[in-house]
Amino acid sequence: MSRKPFRFKQFEIFQDKTAMKVGTDGVLLGAWADLKSGNTILDIGTGTGLISLMLAQRFPLSMIDAIEIDNDAFLQATENFSNATFSDRLTIFNLSLQDYSIDKKYDLIVSNPPFFAVNDTVDFDARKQARQQETLTFGELIKKTSELLQKDGLASFIIPYDQMGDFCIIASQNALKLSRVVYIKGNSATVTKRVLLEFGFDEKEVEEKELIIEVDRHQYTENYINLTKDFYLKM
Protein backbone atom coordinates (compact mmCIF):
# COMPACT_ATOMS: atom_id res chain seq x y z
CA MET A 1 0.00 0.00 0.00
CA SER A 2 1.46 3.36 -1.06
CA ARG A 3 1.91 6.13 1.46
CA LYS A 4 0.83 9.57 0.34
CA PRO A 5 1.97 12.56 2.36
CA PHE A 6 0.09 15.81 2.81
CA ARG A 7 2.25 18.14 0.74
CA PHE A 8 2.94 21.74 1.67
CA LYS A 9 5.10 24.18 -0.29
CA GLN A 10 8.33 23.54 1.60
CA PHE A 11 7.73 20.26 3.44
CA GLU A 12 5.45 17.23 3.58
CA ILE A 13 3.60 15.45 6.35
CA PHE A 14 3.21 11.69 6.53
CA GLN A 15 0.31 10.90 8.85
CA ASP A 16 -0.45 7.21 8.40
CA LYS A 17 0.93 6.14 11.81
CA THR A 18 -1.03 8.53 13.98
CA ALA A 19 -4.69 9.34 14.53
CA MET A 20 -3.89 13.06 14.65
CA LYS A 21 -4.11 14.30 11.07
CA VAL A 22 -3.28 17.64 9.47
CA GLY A 23 -6.09 20.01 10.40
CA THR A 24 -7.10 23.64 10.26
CA ASP A 25 -6.35 24.25 13.96
CA GLY A 26 -2.68 23.35 13.58
CA VAL A 27 -2.28 25.28 10.34
CA LEU A 28 -3.83 28.38 11.90
CA LEU A 29 -1.54 28.29 14.92
CA GLY A 30 1.57 27.58 12.85
CA ALA A 31 0.80 30.48 10.51
CA TRP A 32 -0.19 32.95 13.26
CA ALA A 33 2.15 32.45 16.24
CA ASP A 34 4.74 35.22 16.44
CA LEU A 35 8.41 35.17 17.40
CA LYS A 36 9.24 38.74 18.45
CA SER A 37 12.84 38.18 19.52
CA GLY A 38 15.36 35.38 19.97
CA ASN A 39 15.28 32.06 18.15
CA THR A 40 14.27 29.28 20.55
CA ILE A 41 10.87 27.63 20.12
CA LEU A 42 9.05 24.86 22.00
CA ASP A 43 6.12 22.97 20.43
CA ILE A 44 4.13 21.12 23.10
CA GLY A 45 2.30 18.05 21.79
CA THR A 46 3.66 18.24 18.25
CA GLY A 47 1.64 15.33 16.80
CA THR A 48 2.84 14.91 13.20
CA GLY A 49 5.24 17.83 13.64
CA LEU A 50 3.14 20.17 11.50
CA ILE A 51 3.39 23.31 13.65
CA SER A 52 7.12 22.87 14.25
CA LEU A 53 7.73 22.54 10.50
CA MET A 54 5.64 25.63 9.75
CA LEU A 55 7.58 27.65 12.31
CA ALA A 56 10.90 26.36 10.98
CA GLN A 57 9.85 27.61 7.55
CA ARG A 58 8.69 31.00 8.84
CA PHE A 59 11.66 31.67 11.12
CA PRO A 60 14.85 30.47 9.35
CA LEU A 61 17.14 31.19 12.30
CA SER A 62 14.97 29.36 14.82
CA MET A 63 15.94 26.26 16.79
CA ILE A 64 12.85 24.20 17.60
CA ASP A 65 12.27 21.59 20.31
CA ALA A 66 9.11 19.49 20.09
CA ILE A 67 7.52 17.26 22.74
CA GLU A 68 5.22 14.33 21.95
CA ILE A 69 4.02 11.78 24.52
CA ASP A 70 2.42 9.33 22.07
CA ASN A 71 5.01 6.92 20.64
CA ASP A 72 3.38 6.49 17.22
CA ALA A 73 3.04 10.24 16.76
CA PHE A 74 6.63 10.68 17.96
CA LEU A 75 7.87 8.25 15.29
CA GLN A 76 5.75 9.98 12.64
CA ALA A 77 7.03 13.44 13.57
CA THR A 78 10.61 12.15 13.65
CA GLU A 79 10.18 10.93 10.07
CA ASN A 80 8.61 14.21 8.96
CA PHE A 81 11.38 16.22 10.62
CA SER A 82 14.13 14.11 9.04
CA ASN A 83 12.62 14.60 5.56
CA ALA A 84 12.55 18.40 5.85
CA THR A 85 15.24 20.67 4.44
CA PHE A 86 15.46 22.37 7.84
CA SER A 87 15.80 19.11 9.81
CA ASP A 88 19.01 20.33 11.47
CA ARG A 89 16.96 22.89 13.43
CA LEU A 90 14.36 20.43 14.74
CA THR A 91 14.66 18.21 17.82
CA ILE A 92 11.92 15.98 19.22
CA PHE A 93 11.49 14.35 22.65
CA ASN A 94 9.23 11.35 23.33
CA LEU A 95 7.89 12.24 26.78
CA SER A 96 5.16 14.18 28.57
CA LEU A 97 5.38 17.90 29.27
CA GLN A 98 5.20 17.06 32.97
CA ASP A 99 8.43 15.05 32.61
CA TYR A 100 10.20 17.60 30.42
CA SER A 101 13.08 19.08 32.39
CA ILE A 102 15.61 21.36 30.73
CA ASP A 103 17.92 24.18 31.81
CA LYS A 104 16.64 26.47 29.06
CA LYS A 105 14.04 29.16 28.43
CA TYR A 106 12.15 29.67 25.17
CA ASP A 107 11.38 32.78 23.15
CA LEU A 108 8.19 31.22 21.76
CA ILE A 109 6.08 28.37 23.11
CA VAL A 110 3.17 26.99 21.07
CA SER A 111 0.57 24.32 21.66
CA ASN A 112 -2.61 22.97 20.10
CA PRO A 113 -3.56 21.35 23.41
CA PRO A 114 -6.03 18.65 24.52
CA PHE A 115 -9.49 20.13 24.85
CA PHE A 116 -12.08 17.52 25.84
CA ALA A 117 -13.02 18.07 29.46
CA VAL A 118 -11.87 15.36 31.81
CA ASN A 119 -15.43 14.24 32.55
CA ASP A 120 -16.52 14.05 28.90
CA THR A 121 -17.91 10.64 27.98
CA VAL A 122 -15.80 9.60 24.99
CA ASP A 123 -14.40 6.46 23.45
CA PHE A 124 -10.77 6.51 24.50
CA ASP A 125 -9.16 5.92 21.11
CA ALA A 126 -5.85 7.47 20.07
CA ARG A 127 -7.32 10.63 18.59
CA LYS A 128 -9.42 11.30 21.66
CA GLN A 129 -6.54 10.53 23.96
CA ALA A 130 -4.56 13.21 22.18
CA ARG A 131 -7.50 15.56 22.81
CA GLN A 132 -8.12 14.42 26.39
CA GLN A 133 -7.26 16.70 29.27
CA GLU A 134 -6.57 13.62 31.38
CA THR A 135 -3.25 13.53 29.49
CA LEU A 136 -2.46 17.23 29.95
CA THR A 137 -4.72 19.67 31.78
CA PHE A 138 -4.82 23.35 30.94
CA GLY A 139 -3.42 24.04 34.40
CA GLU A 140 -0.40 21.81 33.83
CA LEU A 141 0.16 23.23 30.36
CA ILE A 142 0.06 26.86 31.45
CA LYS A 143 2.14 26.38 34.62
CA LYS A 144 4.92 24.67 32.68
CA THR A 145 4.70 27.25 29.90
CA SER A 146 5.19 30.03 32.43
CA GLU A 147 8.24 28.24 33.85
CA LEU A 148 9.85 27.66 30.43
CA LEU A 149 9.13 31.05 28.82
CA GLN A 150 11.70 33.85 28.53
CA LYS A 151 10.82 37.10 30.30
CA ASP A 152 10.15 38.79 26.95
CA GLY A 153 8.88 35.60 25.27
CA LEU A 154 5.46 34.81 23.83
CA ALA A 155 3.19 31.79 24.20
CA SER A 156 0.49 31.00 21.63
CA PHE A 157 -2.37 28.49 21.74
CA ILE A 158 -5.48 27.50 19.84
CA ILE A 159 -8.40 26.28 21.97
CA PRO A 160 -12.20 26.08 21.86
CA TYR A 161 -13.84 29.48 22.27
CA ASP A 162 -16.06 28.25 25.11
CA GLN A 163 -12.97 27.40 27.19
CA MET A 164 -11.27 30.77 26.68
CA GLY A 165 -12.49 32.22 29.98
CA ASP A 166 -11.09 29.42 32.14
CA PHE A 167 -7.87 29.32 30.12
CA CYS A 168 -7.24 33.05 30.58
CA ILE A 169 -7.93 32.85 34.33
CA ILE A 170 -5.36 30.07 34.72
CA ALA A 171 -2.89 32.05 32.59
CA SER A 172 -3.35 35.11 34.82
CA GLN A 173 -2.73 32.98 37.91
CA ASN A 174 0.62 32.03 36.32
CA ALA A 175 1.65 35.64 35.53
CA LEU A 176 0.80 35.35 31.83
CA LYS A 177 -1.07 38.29 30.32
CA LEU A 178 -3.18 38.16 27.19
CA SER A 179 -1.83 40.26 24.30
CA ARG A 180 -3.58 39.03 21.11
CA VAL A 181 -6.83 37.22 20.33
CA VAL A 182 -8.30 35.97 17.05
CA TYR A 183 -11.85 34.63 17.08
CA ILE A 184 -12.21 31.89 14.44
CA LYS A 185 -15.44 31.24 12.55
CA GLY A 186 -15.97 28.62 9.84
CA ASN A 187 -18.10 31.09 7.89
CA SER A 188 -19.99 34.29 8.59
CA ALA A 189 -23.16 32.44 9.62
CA THR A 190 -21.57 30.10 12.18
CA VAL A 191 -20.73 30.74 15.81
CA THR A 192 -17.15 31.20 16.99
CA LYS A 193 -15.71 27.73 17.62
CA ARG A 194 -11.98 28.34 18.11
CA VAL A 195 -9.79 31.13 19.41
CA LEU A 196 -6.10 31.90 18.91
CA LEU A 197 -4.51 33.31 22.06
CA GLU A 198 -1.13 34.95 22.63
CA PHE A 199 0.32 35.61 26.09
CA GLY A 200 3.42 37.25 27.52
CA PHE A 201 4.59 38.52 30.89
CA ASP A 202 4.17 42.21 29.97
CA GLU A 203 0.88 44.07 30.34
CA LYS A 204 -0.37 45.27 26.94
CA GLU A 205 -3.55 46.47 25.33
CA VAL A 206 -5.18 43.34 23.94
CA GLU A 207 -5.40 43.21 20.14
CA GLU A 208 -8.64 41.49 19.08
CA LYS A 209 -9.56 40.30 15.58
CA GLU A 210 -11.96 37.93 13.89
CA LEU A 211 -11.02 35.46 11.17
CA ILE A 212 -13.63 33.82 8.95
CA ILE A 213 -12.26 30.81 7.08
CA GLU A 214 -14.74 30.26 4.24
CA VAL A 215 -17.10 32.35 2.16
CA ASP A 216 -18.69 29.11 0.95
CA ARG A 217 -17.68 25.45 1.02
CA HIS A 218 -14.02 25.30 -0.15
CA GLN A 219 -14.14 28.99 -1.09
CA TYR A 220 -11.77 30.68 1.31
CA THR A 221 -11.77 34.26 2.53
CA GLU A 222 -9.02 36.65 1.54
CA ASN A 223 -7.85 36.89 5.16
CA TYR A 224 -7.50 33.11 5.50
CA ILE A 225 -5.69 32.86 2.16
CA ASN A 226 -3.28 35.64 3.15
CA LEU A 227 -2.53 33.92 6.46
CA THR A 228 -1.86 30.46 4.99
CA LYS A 229 -0.72 31.08 1.39
CA ASP A 230 2.96 30.43 2.15
CA PHE A 231 2.09 26.84 3.09
CA TYR A 232 -0.79 25.35 1.11
CA LEU A 233 -0.09 24.22 -2.46
CA LYS A 234 -3.68 25.02 -3.43
CA MET A 235 -6.37 27.23 -1.89
Side-chain angles (χ1 to χ4, degrees), residues 168-179:
C168 289
I169 289 171
I170 299 169
S172 178
Q173 291 169 346
N174 286 272
L176 291 173
K177 299 171 177 62
L178 188 63
S179 54

Side-chain angles (χ1 to χ4, degrees), residues 164 168 176-181 197-200 204 206:
M164 176 181 169
C168 289
L176 291 173
K177 299 171 177 62
L178 188 63
S179 54
R180 283 197 300 157
V181 182
L197 302 173
E198 178 188 85
F199 297 90
K204 297 178 181 178
V206 179

Side-chain angles (χ1 to χ4, degrees), residues 163-223:
Q163 297 188 29
M164 176 181 169
D166 289 342
F167 197 91
C168 289
I169 289 171
I170 299 169
S172 178
Q173 291 169 346
N174 286 272
L176 291 173
K177 299 171 177 62
L178 188 63
S179 54
R180 283 197 300 157
V181 182
V182 179
Y183 303 98
I184 310 295
K185 299 177 72 171
N187 60 61
S188 59
T190 60
V191 299
T192 302
K193 288 288 187 71
R194 296 282 186 273
V195 61
L196 288 159
L197 302 173
E198 178 188 85
F199 297 90
F201 291 117
D202 296 332
E203 192 81 52
K204 297 178 181 178
E205 184 176 350
V206 179
E207 175 189 303
E208 295 184 276
K209 292 184 178 180
E210 181 179 78
L211 176 64
I212 298 171
I213 295 174
E214 292 180 321
V215 179
D216 204 347
R217 187 66 174 157
H218 301 308
Q219 295 181 18
Y220 299 101
T221 63
E222 184 178 351
N223 286 339

Side-chain angles (χ1 to χ4, degrees), residues 71 75 96 106 140 159 161 193 210 217 228:
N71 189 64
L75 294 173
S96 69
Y106 292 93
E140 292 168 329
I159 64 167
Y161 171 68
K193 288 288 187 71
E210 181 179 78
R217 187 66 174 157
T228 61

Side-chain angles (χ1 to χ4, degrees), residues 47-124:
T48 59
L50 169 65
I51 295 170
S52 289
L53 287 161
M54 292 180 71
L55 295 173
Q57 175 182 323
R58 288 180 58 206
F59 304 113
L61 299 179
S62 62
M63 301 298 294
I64 301 169
D65 292 338
I67 298 170
E68 178 51 57
I69 188 173
D70 179 78
N71 189 64
D72 289 338
F74 164 77
L75 294 173
Q76 192 96 79
T78 299
E79 176 185 17
N80 292 329
F81 285 0
S82 66
N83 290 337
T85 56
F86 20 75
S87 60
D88 59 330
R89 296 189 284 113
L90 296 158
T91 304
I92 187 167
F93 302 92
N94 187 198
L95 77 176
S96 69
L97 177 62
Q98 295 92 327
D99 291 333
Y100 187 61
S101 178
I102 190 168
D103 186 20
K104 181 179 184 177
K105 301 262 187 183
Y106 292 93
D107 302 300
L108 171 63
I109 297 176
V110 296
S111 184
N112 176 12
F115 56 70
F116 281 148
V118 173
N119 61 357
D120 280 354
T121 302
V122 296
D123 296 326
F124 208 67

